[in-house]
Amino acid sequence: MKQLRALGWLLLVLLIGSVNGVAQSVSEIRVIKESAISYTGFLSKARFDQRFPGQIKAGPTELDSGWYVIYKHESLSYYFGPILLESTGQDYLAQLTKTVEAAVQQRPSIADYRLELSFEPSEVAESESARSSESDNAESGDSTPPPASFDIWRFVRSVFGL
């Protein structure tokens, strides 16, 4: 009876640990250089992950600013980028779309993916981050506003009188 109870507790601990691991992996994103998209058509997932480990980020607010080709499926969140130009991102998106569609034809079970081009960090993520920092400042009694960001294009326009 004690062995059965101990086994039950062990299974419960393992189940909680695996659920916690899945929850963490869903919220994490993996940032990979966009040049890796060219390899998605012929490398297995294991070989791709080994060759392009990328960087794990906790969320979109931690991303460098730029365009990202985003592939999401179940617990996978691959962000390819940052890409400087939107047009270049569209080319990479078209390339990855062809690869993913070919894979779906062979394995229809992966048809519920999401594939998009997005400028990150998005304004929604930034506004949520700003709101949380404002509430932190309000709680701590710090009423100083955050430093203003520098807009290079506004500066260039003012120099040339545009």
Side-chain angles (χ1 to χ4, degrees):
M1 187 61 146
K2 285 184 179 183
Q3 289 177 339
L4 186 58
R5 190 176 308 171
L7 181 62
W9 281 108
L10 178 63
L11 288 174
L12 181 63
V13 168
L14 290 174
L15 179 63
I16 290 172
S18 65
V19 168
N20 187 27
V22 168
Q24 286 177 347
S25 68
V26 168
S27 65
E28 292 179 342
I29 59 176
R30 193 162 140 202
V31 180
I32 304 168
K33 292 184 184 243
E34 67 276 6
S35 58
I37 290 174
S38 302
Y39 295 87
T40 58
F42 59 88
L43 288 178
S44 68
K45 182 184 178 320
R47 303 259 309 150
F48 181 84
D49 290 347
Q50 181 182 18
R51 184 163 183 172
F52 301 102
Q55 295 178 335
I56 303 297
K57 304 280 185 172
T61 57
E62 293 185 5
L63 294 172
D64 293 332
S65 185
W67 291 96
Y68 288 84
V69 175
I70 302 171
Y71 172 80
K72 290 187 175 186
H73 179 258
E74 294 176 358
S75 64
L76 295 177
S77 291
Y78 289 169
Y79 281 58
F80 295 95
I83 304 167
L84 183 62
L85 300 173
E86 181 181 12
S87 59
T88 305
Q90 290 171 346
D91 292 341
Y92 279 116
L93 177 63
Q95 184 180 3
L96 187 58
T97 300
K98 288 179 186 176
T99 302
V100 171
E101 287 174 352
V104 169
Q105 286 179 351
Q106 292 179 359
R107 290 183 43 209
S109 64
I110 60 174
D112 60 339
Y113 63 90
R114 190 178 112 212
L115 190 57
E116 67 178 321
L117 178 66
S118 176
F119 190 84
E120 299 293 335
S122 65
E123 292 179 15
V124 173
E126 288 175 354
S127 65
E128 288 176 3
S129 176
R131 265 190 253 122
S132 69
S133 67
E134 287 173 4
S135 66
D136 290 346
N137 287 343
E139 290 173 5
S140 66
D142 183 12
S143 62
T144 58
S149 61
F150 180 73
D151 185 0
I152 186 74
W153 298 114
R154 184 177 295 154
F155 175 74
V156 169
R157 280 188 226 119
S158 68
V159 168
F160 292 105
L162 300 174

